[in-house]
Amino acid sequence: MTEANAGAGTSGSGRRITVLIADDQEMVRTGFRLILQLQPDIEVVGEAADGAECVELARKLRPDVCLVDIRMPKLDGLEVTRLLAGPKAVDPLRVVVVTTFDQDDYVYGALHGGACGFLLKDAGPGLLVEAVRAASRGDALVSPAVTVRLLERISEHRPAAESARRAEVSSSPLTGRELDVVRLVAEGRTNQEICTELFVSLSTVKTHMASVQGKLKLRNRVEIAAWAWRSGVVGDH
């Protein structure tokens, strides 16, 4: 375990995004750290080799973003996510789950545990940095490859009857435009891409997103996407 200077989170360009990396493989932690520390707006403030250490460090350092591997000793990533970001967490943190292709069940569980993003372990440097920045501003990024597999899996749990799926959508309090936004979120679009496709401003997209979360009692972008696939919104178009 290494712990950086927690008080060094500011620079002349403003406050840096602080990150805690949790993975039982030292090479993975080192690779992530080297990539992130090249960014002028990101600072790695701690590393943990197991889940228990991750929870302890996260509560002590209060990083902006926790990068958490699924499979770790002592506490796995699901339990770590639940403790740090779940519904019962006091002052929850933002957790991005790091997974591999063969762990769909784990990713599905992490979604319900409060994770705000999912990242493949072999994701490129650009996607890693983007995921951290998205999480820090309260957004969420899901690796495209994970999006398709995760959400298709969620869609398997839809009500069997088409009429039941349509009833869930028709009884929802969402407007037509909000459903358009939800559909695009479920297809993996960023806010900027949604702006372009719907010919609206970024502030309008953010307003719709906030409204959807409030009406459906959803915590983040990932839960919005899950609702869309589960209720059949994506399949309807």
Side-chain angles (χ1 to χ4, degrees), residues 141-190:
L141 182 145
V142 180
S143 293
V146 175
T147 302
V148 174
R149 291 181 54 141
L150 168 67
L151 297 181
E152 284 181 349
R153 186 178 183 85
I154 291 172
S155 70
E156 294 173 2
H157 298 278
R158 296 178 188 174
E162 179 67 21
S163 58
R165 294 200 300 269
R166 293 187 179 277
E168 182 174 357
V169 175
S170 62
S171 64
S172 77
L174 303 185
T175 65
R177 181 56 86 180
E178 287 168 349
L179 283 171
D180 289 338
V181 172
V182 166
R183 186 175 296 111
L184 292 174
V185 168
E187 292 173 356
R189 303 291 205 283
T190 64

Side-chain angles (χ1 to χ4, degrees), residues 13 15 38 42 77-78 87 94-95 169 188:
S13 60
R15 185 180 181 281
L38 287 174
I42 297 176
L78 296 182
R94 291 170 182 149
V95 175
V169 175

Side-chain angles (χ1 to χ4, degrees), residues 63-84:
D64 296 312
V65 180
C66 300
L67 283 177
V68 177
D69 184 28
I70 283 289
R71 293 180 179 173
M72 292 187 293
K74 298 184 180 179
L75 293 176
D76 65 21
L78 296 182
E79 183 67 8
V80 169
T81 301
R82 186 186 67 79
L83 291 172
L84 296 180

Side-chain angles (χ1 to χ4, degrees), residues 1 7 27 30 44 59 67 82 84 91 99 103 118-119 134 137 140 148 166-167 195 209-211 229:
M1 181 267 291
M27 288 184 63
T30 299
V44 176
R59 288 173 172 169
L67 283 177
R82 186 186 67 79
L84 296 180
D91 197 10
T99 185
Q103 295 174 330
F118 302 95
L119 191 69
R137 62 178 179 260
V148 174
R166 293 187 179 277
C195 290
M209 290 286 289
S211 178
W229 280 82

